[in-house]
Amino acid sequence: MSAPSTVATALLAAAEAAEGFMPADEGRALYEAARVVAVPGPLLEVGSWMGKSALYLAAAARETGRHVVTVDHHRGSEEHQPGWEYHDPALVDPHVGLVDTLPRFRRQIAEAGAEDVVIAIVTRSELLAPLWTAPLALLFLDGSHTEESARRDQDAWVAKLAVGGTLAIHDVFPDPADGGQAPYGVYQRVVGSGDFEEVPGAGSLRLLRRVR
């Protein structure tokens, strides 16, 4: 594997410094997967939070001449709501009383100088999916982790991945003691379909290449 280009190195540094939940080893694995995917098409991320993982994808996109499309309603997942473990009152828009991560997302993308490669779509993924027709080179699933929403994202987007493209699934924990099981369920269903082969990932990040 060749070393990252100068422009990619700057974005990787910005990604590692950015606020968010993506561990560095998993972020680097996501970057490498996006960097080496062999088929044409954009990189699409379902679930963006404040843009940390989007910057890892942006580093690969800048290096390979692609774009990153991020899809997120920016109202936070269940665990970010009041009374839950990851709720941050500073993220609540006082005018509407709802979580709003879009300003932080836009700030981090702008500060990293990645606005030319990151296209942010603010909506629920299942609303955008029926309108989307371009085959994807890489699909990164990292949205809400309830069983219902994880299955909905899988049903809405996996079929849009080109043959030869890469599916990345975050927060895959086989042991329930380590984390929620919804992404693991997506992973199991995708592997069981016979349409994908697994390639090396990192930590809770699973990577699969579509073979048919």
Side-chain angles (χ1 to χ4, degrees), residues 9-50:
T9 299
L11 280 176
L12 287 171
E16 291 178 359
E19 187 175 1
F21 300 111
M22 175 69 76
D25 61 334
E26 297 177 10
R28 285 282 184 154
L30 182 64
Y31 156 74
E32 290 289 353
R35 181 191 191 194
V36 303
V37 67
V39 296
L43 318 173
L44 189 140
E45 170 184 81
V46 176
S48 303
W49 191 234
M50 297 183 191

XYZ file of all heavy atoms in Angstrom, residues 9-50:
301
model
N -2.959 13.351 3.428
C -2.345 13.399 4.763
C -2.936 14.530 5.583
O -3.228 14.373 6.779
C -0.822 13.570 4.637
O -0.282 12.450 3.938
C -0.174 13.670 6.006
N -3.153 15.692 4.965
C -3.735 16.826 5.676
C -5.154 16.519 6.140
O -5.536 16.844 7.271
C -3.720 18.060 4.781
N -5.948 15.869 5.292
C -7.317 15.539 5.675
C -7.356 14.432 6.720
O -8.220 14.425 7.596
C -8.129 15.147 4.445
C -8.639 16.305 3.595
C -9.344 15.802 2.343
C -9.576 17.200 4.401
N -6.428 13.489 6.635
C -6.369 12.442 7.654
C -6.043 13.038 9.024
O -6.607 12.636 10.047
C -5.334 11.389 7.271
C -5.726 10.449 6.132
C -4.527 9.611 5.710
C -6.891 9.549 6.544
N -5.138 14.000 9.043
C -4.808 14.663 10.305
C -6.019 15.404 10.850
O -6.292 15.385 12.059
C -3.632 15.615 10.101
N -6.773 16.056 9.947
C -7.981 16.766 10.370
C -9.021 15.785 10.897
O -9.704 16.063 11.891
C -8.552 17.565 9.201
N -9.132 14.633 10.255
C -10.092 13.617 10.702
C -9.746 13.118 12.094
O -10.625 12.968 12.958
C -10.119 12.457 9.709
N -8.483 12.851 12.331
C -8.078 12.322 13.633
C -8.258 13.353 14.749
O -8.503 12.989 15.900
C -6.643 11.821 13.555
C -6.537 10.567 12.681
C -5.120 10.043 12.515
O -4.192 10.661 13.066
O -4.959 9.015 11.836
N -8.166 14.638 14.398
C -8.339 15.694 15.394
C -9.796 16.097 15.584
O -10.128 16.759 16.563
C -7.521 16.923 14.982
N -10.660 15.684 14.670
C -12.052 16.131 14.692
C -12.824 15.486 15.843
O -12.512 14.383 16.300
C -12.728 15.800 13.370
N -13.862 16.183 16.281
C -14.748 15.661 17.313
C -15.616 14.555 16.725
O -16.137 14.682 15.612
C -15.630 16.795 17.842
C -16.481 16.445 19.029
C -17.230 17.639 19.586
O -17.086 18.748 19.020
O -17.960 17.451 20.583
N -15.763 13.454 17.453
C -16.581 12.356 16.962
C -16.201 11.050 17.621
O -15.383 11.010 18.546
N -16.788 9.946 17.129
C -16.675 8.654 17.799
C -15.827 7.633 17.049
O -15.677 6.506 17.515
C -18.071 8.055 18.016
C -18.975 8.915 18.873
C -20.075 9.555 18.316
C -18.715 9.084 20.217
C -20.914 10.348 19.092
C -19.542 9.872 21.014
C -20.640 10.505 20.444
N -15.273 7.972 15.897
C -14.539 6.988 15.097
C -13.111 6.819 15.611
O -12.310 7.761 15.556
C -14.510 7.445 13.632
C -13.673 6.584 12.700
S -14.366 4.961 12.413
C -15.703 5.360 11.281
N -12.734 5.630 16.131
C -11.349 5.405 16.549
C -10.395 5.523 15.367
O -10.775 5.238 14.219
C -11.372 3.974 17.096
C -12.802 3.704 17.422
C -13.597 4.465 16.405
N -9.159 5.906 15.643
C -8.202 6.179 14.568
C -7.939 4.953 13.699
O -7.836 5.076 12.470
C -6.898 6.707 15.159
N -7.837 3.760 14.307
C -7.543 2.575 13.490
C -8.705 2.241 12.564
O -8.500 1.856 11.401
C -7.182 1.381 14.371
C -8.302 0.963 15.317
O -9.155 1.817 15.669
O -8.327 -0.220 15.713
N -9.924 2.444 13.036
C -11.083 2.192 12.198
C -11.208 3.258 11.112
O -11.567 2.956 9.963
C -12.340 2.123 13.050
C -12.314 0.966 14.042
C -13.523 0.927 14.956
O -14.484 1.680 14.718
O -13.502 0.128 15.911
N -10.908 4.508 11.469
C -10.946 5.574 10.473
C -9.938 5.354 9.365
O -10.239 5.556 8.175
N -8.737 4.928 9.722
C -7.708 4.634 8.715
C -8.122 3.468 7.826
O -7.875 3.482 6.622
C -6.382 4.332 9.411
C -5.685 5.564 9.965
C -4.984 6.321 8.866
N -4.233 7.462 9.371
C -3.176 7.995 8.764
N -2.748 7.464 7.633
N -2.565 9.034 9.270
N -8.764 2.457 8.412
C -9.230 1.321 7.614
C -10.321 1.757 6.644
O -10.366 1.296 5.491
C -9.739 0.210 8.535
N -11.202 2.651 7.089
C -12.237 3.182 6.210
C -11.613 3.977 5.067
O -12.010 3.843 3.906
C -13.190 4.061 7.021
C -14.360 4.671 6.259
C -15.302 3.585 5.734
C -15.129 5.645 7.167
N -10.637 4.800 5.389
C -9.916 5.561 4.371
C -9.275 4.634 3.341
O -9.403 4.837 2.128
C -8.854 6.435 5.038
C -7.696 6.812 4.151
C -7.847 7.767 3.143
C -6.447 6.211 4.308
C -6.774 8.106 2.312
C -5.381 6.534 3.496
C -5.556 7.482 2.499
O -4.500 7.808 1.682
N -8.581 3.597 3.802
C -7.913 2.676 2.883
C -8.927 1.962 1.994
O -8.691 1.770 0.794
C -7.085 1.651 3.664
C -5.860 2.226 4.343
C -4.751 2.609 3.366
O -4.885 2.311 2.157
O -3.761 3.209 3.804
N -10.057 1.555 2.580
C -11.079 0.880 1.785
C -11.612 1.787 0.694
O -11.820 1.359 -0.456
C -12.211 0.415 2.696
N -11.835 3.052 1.021
C -12.336 4.002 0.033
C -11.270 4.347 -0.998
O -11.573 4.589 -2.167
C -12.812 5.266 0.735
N -10.059 4.342 -0.569
C -8.942 4.696 -1.443
C -8.703 3.652 -2.532
O -8.346 3.995 -3.664
C -7.693 4.846 -0.567
C -6.422 5.236 -1.265
C -5.273 5.066 -0.285
N -4.038 5.651 -0.740
C -2.856 5.402 -0.206
N -2.764 4.557 0.808
N -1.765 5.980 -0.662
N -8.889 2.374 -2.223
C -8.515 1.305 -3.154
C -9.707 0.711 -3.900
O -9.507 -0.148 -4.757
C -7.758 0.170 -2.429
C -6.519 0.719 -1.734
C -8.655 -0.556 -1.421
N -10.936 1.131 -3.610
C -12.084 0.550 -4.298
C -11.922 0.772 -5.807
O -11.542 1.854 -6.256
C -13.402 1.144 -3.761
C -13.552 2.620 -4.092
C -14.600 0.352 -4.265
N -12.186 -0.283 -6.581
C -11.783 -0.283 -7.987
C -12.872 0.154 -8.955
O -12.590 0.368 -10.135
C -11.295 -1.678 -8.376
N -14.110 0.288 -8.507
C -15.190 0.615 -9.429
C -15.499 2.117 -9.360
O -15.229 2.763 -8.341
C -16.454 -0.201 -9.100
C -16.175 -1.682 -9.296
C -16.934 0.068 -7.688
N -16.047 2.687 -10.434
C -16.405 4.105 -10.403
C -17.629 4.355 -9.538
O -18.383 3.433 -9.229
C -16.698 4.431 -11.873
C -17.115 3.127 -12.462
C -16.318 2.076 -11.748
N -17.795 5.613 -9.157
C -18.963 5.991 -8.373
C -18.584 6.769 -7.131
O -17.419 6.801 -6.720
N -19.571 7.385 -6.491
C -19.318 8.152 -5.274
C -19.210 7.258 -4.041
O -19.532 6.067 -4.078
C -20.546 9.063 -5.172
C -21.627 8.268 -5.821
C -20.965 7.490 -6.935
N -18.754 7.861 -2.952
C -18.715 7.238 -1.634
C -19.895 7.802 -0.852
O -20.047 9.017 -0.773
C -17.405 7.570 -0.920
C -16.127 7.513 -1.761
C -14.935 8.029 -0.945
C -15.873 6.105 -2.271
N -20.727 6.946 -0.289
C -21.910 7.444 0.414
C -21.912 6.949 1.849
O -21.721 5.757 2.104
C -23.194 7.018 -0.300
C -24.473 7.680 0.228
C -25.416 8.047 -0.909
C -25.198 6.778 1.239
N -22.136 7.882 2.760
C -22.144 7.606 4.196
C -23.543 7.838 4.744
O -24.113 8.920 4.554
C -21.153 8.543 4.887
C -21.207 8.543 6.397
C -20.272 9.572 7.011
O -20.647 10.762 7.059
O -19.163 9.181 7.410
N -24.089 6.838 5.413
C -25.368 6.973 6.104
C -25.072 7.152 7.585
O -24.614 6.225 8.252
C -26.262 5.740 5.871
C -27.551 5.865 6.679
C -26.583 5.572 4.397
N -25.308 8.350 8.089
C -24.992 8.676 9.483
C -23.670 9.402 9.579
O -22.623 8.797 9.346
N -23.702 10.690 9.922
C -22.490 11.524 9.860
C -22.109 12.164 11.185
O -20.952 12.546 11.352
C -22.673 12.641 8.822
O -22.966 12.100 7.565
N -23.076 12.357 12.084
C -22.834 13.036 13.355
C -22.157 14.377 13.109
O -22.761 15.243 12.481
C -22.043 12.137 14.308
C -21.947 12.632 15.737
C -20.806 12.813 16.466
C -23.028 12.993 16.613
N -21.101 13.251 17.743
C -22.455 13.381 17.861
C -24.399 13.038 16.466
C -23.218 13.806 18.950
C -25.170 13.455 17.554
C -24.574 13.826 18.774
N -20.894 14.552 13.473
C -20.235 15.846 13.268
C -19.183 15.813 12.166
O -18.405 16.752 12.019
C -19.602 16.322 14.572
C -20.608 16.568 15.677
S -19.797 17.209 17.148
C -21.128 17.073 18.334
